[in-house]
Amino acid sequence: VVTADSFLIRNPEFKNNSFKSPTNLERTCWRGVNLGGWLVLEKWMAPDLFALVPSADDERSLLAEGGSEARDAVAKFRETFITQEDLHWLRHEGGIDAVRLPVGFWCLDEFAASTPMMSTQRYVDAVFDWAEKYGLKVLLELHGLVGSQNGEHHSGDSGQLAWLQPANRERNLKVISACAQRWGSRESLLGFGLGNEVGEKE
């Protein structure tokens, strides 16, 4: 259930201790995998979900057009696609010590409200709990910004590139601040990516 994407985080400054990290003072390399396609849906990774609404290309259109059937299917998918057992396996069998967790602005209840998106807040909470239980670190990645930062399906809302419009930019800053307040002090937090494949109109 974990994507083939992987990452290594290296910081040579750790070796001479000239840089003090809030998460680890000695570590020079993290071996991680991406928990993609779970909290930000992607059609190629969850084809059965998108088969419910063949015209849907992204999470927003799937949920907006698919009604209760799509919402029920997404809820079931999220309960089973990544579980506590997966993180246990990654740490103790797979030799992994960090995970990248892509999320959208709808990762918090307050920002999912009044949109077609389904909040993923409790799943993010769970990943941090599991990571701390098994000794993993979490690289939280804001994969979908309000207004879409790249207009691609993997931002949750394809076809527009409007993240820098004043109202959207202000809301995105509030999302970042709220994420930092909720998860910024978690022991397992490795870092916070502020945007994935960010673009702007030419």
Side-chain angles (χ1 to χ4, degrees):
V1 296
V2 179
T3 70
D5 295 333
S6 61
F7 64 87
L8 290 174
I9 297 177
R10 298 181 185 275
N11 191 327
E13 296 299 324
F14 288 155
K15 291 182 178 180
N16 58 25
N17 288 326
S18 64
F19 174 79
K20 301 300 184 183
S21 164
T23 57
N24 192 290
L25 297 180
E26 300 176 356
R27 195 59 175 257
T28 59
C29 179
W30 295 94
R31 185 180 302 277
V33 294
N34 183 39
L35 305 183
W38 180 35
L39 304 185
V40 179
L41 301 176
E42 298 189 35
K43 192 170 187 175
W44 70 276
M45 295 178 67
D48 290 346
L49 289 178
F50 284 87
L52 297 171
V53 185
S55 62
D57 289 324
D58 54 44
E59 186 167 341
R60 175 180 289 277
S61 56
L62 172 65
L63 294 171
E65 300 170 22
S68 60
E69 182 182 13
R71 299 182 78 82
D72 290 346
V74 170
K76 182 178 180 180
F77 170 83
R78 287 195 167 132
E79 287 292 327
T80 57
F81 188 65
I82 300 290
T83 67
Q84 180 174 181
E85 288 70 27
D86 293 315
L87 269 69
H88 178 274
W89 186 93
L90 286 171
R91 183 68 184 100
H92 296 288
E93 301 292 335
I96 297 301
D97 49 27
V99 294
R100 176 178 183 256
L101 183 64
V103 298
F105 69 83
W106 55 95
C107 64
L108 290 163
D109 295 347
E110 62 185 294
F111 297 104
S114 74
T115 78
M117 307 308 232
M118 297 169 62
S119 174
T120 59
Q121 179 175 301
R122 68 186 185 92
Y123 298 107
V124 180
D125 286 342
V127 168
F128 278 105
D129 290 342
W130 300 338
E132 286 159 16
K133 181 176 181 179
Y134 299 124
L136 290 157
K137 292 293 184 181
V138 179
L139 179 61
L140 192 64
E141 175 75 26
L142 195 53
H143 219 67
L145 297 174
V146 180
S148 181
Q149 74 279 10
N150 52 35
E152 298 292 339
H153 69 279
H154 50 73
S155 72
D157 191 3
S158 60
Q160 66 167 334
L161 183 56
W163 70 291
L164 289 178
Q165 290 182 2
N168 290 338
R169 180 166 58 182
E170 181 66 25
R171 192 154 178 80
N172 284 318
L173 290 173
K174 290 179 179 178
V175 170
I176 291 168
S177 177
C179 286
Q181 289 176 16
R182 187 173 186 88
W183 297 301
S185 61
R186 293 300 299 251
E187 180 183 348
S188 55
L189 181 66
L190 178 61
F192 186 19
L194 302 182
N196 177 67
E197 298 183 23
V198 174
E200 55 184 296
K201 291 183 178 180
E202 296 180 357

